[in-house]
Amino acid sequence: MKVRMMLHFPLIFLLMACGVFGEDWNVIYENKSICAPKGSTVNLTCTYKYPEKLTLTDTFWIMCEKQNKPEDIQSLKEYSEYKDRVEYFEDKEKKKAVLRLHNVTENDERAYCFRLVTNTEGQKWIGKEGVKLAVSALQVKAPQLVLEKQTVNLTCETTCSLTEGFIWYKNGQTLTIQSETLQLQSERSDSGRYSCAARGHEHLPSPAVSITVMYHPQNVSVSISPSGVIVEGDSVTLNCSSDSNPPAEISWFKENQSSAVGSGQSFSISSFNASHSGRFYCEAQNQHGSQRSASVSVTVKGVWNIMYIIGVCATVIAAGFGLFFLIIIIIMYKRKKIKNNDSQDTDNHLNGSQDIEQKK
């Protein structure tokens, strides 16, 4: 019996090669190759036909590399790495079959073939070549550090050709650019984390890359603490603020002096006296440039000067109150004088009336 079976197999393959059985068998794949983003779901589709005199009992998808080893040919669902990720769909009337593979990875990169099995011994068929699946892991290629106003291109790189187009994200927010390359003019606001995704697979973005825009110091200014009048013996602190990336190194200068008088964000003078008075400024510098602040005047006021100012202010206030009371007194005096005059006129009138009556 075994000898007879061994004779049958070569004979069947010979007949298929000569077209006796092969003329009515065929598998046509919708695509010869497919590129899919890593983690996505992909559909491999084919149509098929087989001799009408045969009855189709089973169809399934296999790894094409197994087709030359009949003992190794089995459905993808039989493999542990595929069984939970594979679905088969088939329309027997239209003779159309679909392999749906979920969560694809680089390990899934291979060719997949469609297999037909009939109720007649030896009457099976494999659609050769199959569909070659390539899996792309997206990544953004871009410099991490860029200079302000420098033109920079960010590229969404793939290991195979994706035809759906691309979507870009900055800090998780969708950008309007939908091409493979994102071009920036490198403003300070462009600093952030960028990623890309294939259109239709927005839930599978690439790992984000950080871009930092570098620029020279700007908006350098000085503030004084305390901000009021500085009395001899006070402690005075000058603070320098600037906007730069990376942070700037600060140096302090006093006008008419050639060398720096201090360094760091703050410059303090304890027990301030007249010899410290002058005009001070700071200079901020990093590897991309420098900028100095406007000069500020720091002048000490002596204790006697302060007392003099207080005395003058007190005198002015006292004089003001004195003038106010003088005006009140004058007003009251005038009102009293007017009242007395009115009373005198009334008495004269009454006396005149009495004289007239007496003459009568």
Side-chain angles (χ1 to χ4, degrees):
M1 184 66 178
K2 290 183 178 179
V3 174
R4 183 177 300 175
M5 289 292 294
M6 292 177 65
L7 291 174
H8 284 172
F9 278 115
L11 180 60
I12 291 171
F13 285 125
L14 179 61
L15 291 172
M16 289 174 62
C18 294
V20 175
F21 295 110
E23 58 185 359
D24 293 321
W25 294 91
N26 198 12
V27 175
I28 300 175
Y29 298 100
E30 190 174 275
N31 301 102
K32 292 183 178 180
S33 63
I34 291 180
C35 175
K38 182 178 179 180
S40 65
T41 296
V42 63
N43 291 329
L44 311 183
T45 304
C46 73
T47 56
Y48 60 87
K49 68 177 182 177
Y50 59 93
E52 294 181 0
K53 60 183 179 181
L54 301 178
T55 301
L56 198 63
T57 58
D58 196 9
T59 58
F60 51 87
W61 291 80
I62 67 169
M63 303 178 195
C64 291
E65 67 262 29
K66 304 289 186 180
Q67 62 182 306
N68 295 324
K69 300 177 181 178
E71 67 279 5
D72 293 336
I73 295 177
Q74 57 181 343
S75 171
L76 291 176
K77 292 183 176 181
E78 301 299 322
Y79 295 92
S80 59
E81 64 267 33
Y82 282 102
K83 65 178 183 179
D84 295 327
R85 298 188 297 124
V86 165
E87 291 182 275
Y88 295 157
F89 300 94
E90 189 171 354
D91 185 338
K92 294 186 180 297
E93 291 185 1
K94 296 182 179 180
K95 296 180 181 178
K96 184 176 182 179
V98 177
L99 164 63
R100 178 168 295 170
L101 183 57
H102 298 276
N103 192 24
V104 296
T105 68
E106 291 87 345
N107 293 331
D108 298 323
E109 291 187 321
R110 57 171 47 88
Y112 295 89
C113 293
F114 188 63
R115 171 78 157 167
L116 299 95
V117 180
T118 68
N119 62 343
T120 302
E121 185 178 353
Q123 296 301 295
K124 303 174 183 180
W125 186 265
I126 296 175
K128 297 186 182 297
E129 295 185 1
V131 182
K132 186 174 292 186
L133 173 63
V135 178
S136 175
L138 299 179
Q139 64 175 353
V140 175
K141 186 175 182 181
Q144 292 185 335
L145 301 177
V146 298
L147 292 177
E148 188 176 26
K149 298 181 180 179
Q150 177 184 359
T151 301
V152 177
N153 291 325
L154 287 70
T155 304
C156 190
E157 288 194 337
T158 64
T159 53
C160 56
S161 179
L162 293 169
T163 59
E164 297 91 343
F166 298 91
I167 296 175
W168 285 92
Y169 303 93
K170 178 189 175 185
N171 298 328
Q173 301 298 314
T174 305
L175 302 178
T176 57
I177 303 299
Q178 297 185 353
S179 61
E180 184 179 358
T181 300
L182 171 64
Q183 189 174 87
L184 302 176
Q185 297 303 320
S186 301
E187 299 178 0
R188 275 178 264 179
S189 59
D190 289 328
S191 292
R193 294 176 59 80
Y194 291 82
S195 58
C196 65
R199 192 194 303 265
H201 303 282
E202 291 83 357
H203 62 294
L204 298 170
S206 69
V209 298
S210 294
I211 292 180
T212 302
V213 179
M214 316 292 282
Y215 51 95
H216 64 83
Q218 300 176 31
N219 304 319
V220 182
S221 63
V222 174
S223 61
I224 307 174
S225 178
S227 57
V229 175
I230 301 172
V231 179
E232 188 170 352
D234 281 352
S235 178
V236 178
T237 300
L238 305 180
N239 296 299
C240 184
S241 64
S242 67
D243 180 18
S244 64
N245 194 18
E249 294 182 357
I250 307 297
S251 299
W252 289 93
F253 297 89
K254 186 177 182 181
E255 287 187 356
N256 301 322
Q257 290 191 15
S258 58
S259 59
V261 296
S263 61
Q265 201 76 30
S266 300
F267 173 58
S268 297
I269 303 175
S270 58
S271 300
F272 199 92
N273 58 51
S275 65
H276 296 128
S277 296
R279 294 180 62 79
F280 294 83
Y281 64 90
C282 67
E283 183 175 274
Q285 182 174 14
N286 64 13
Q287 60 264 45
H288 305 298
S290 63
Q291 188 181 77
R292 58 159 286 180
S293 70
S295 297
V296 295
S297 180
V298 184
T299 306
V300 65
K301 299 293 183 181
V303 174
W304 291 109
N305 290 341
I306 299 300
M307 293 182 67
Y308 172 77
I309 292 172
I310 293 174
V312 170
C313 291
T315 302
V316 171
I317 293 172
F321 275 109
L323 180 61
F324 174 75
F325 284 117
L326 179 61
I327 293 172
I328 294 297
I329 291 171
I330 292 173
I331 292 173
M332 292 177 65
Y333 173 76
K334 286 185 176 182
R335 285 183 177 179
K336 186 176 180 180
K337 186 175 180 180
I338 292 171
K339 185 176 181 181
N340 291 336
N341 291 336
D342 290 343
S343 297
Q344 187 174 358
D345 291 342
T346 302
D347 291 341
N348 293 335
H349 179 72
L350 291 174
N351 292 332
S353 299
Q354 290 176 357
D355 292 341
I356 294 171
E357 289 179 357
Q358 287 177 357
K359 288 180 179 181
K360 289 180 179 182

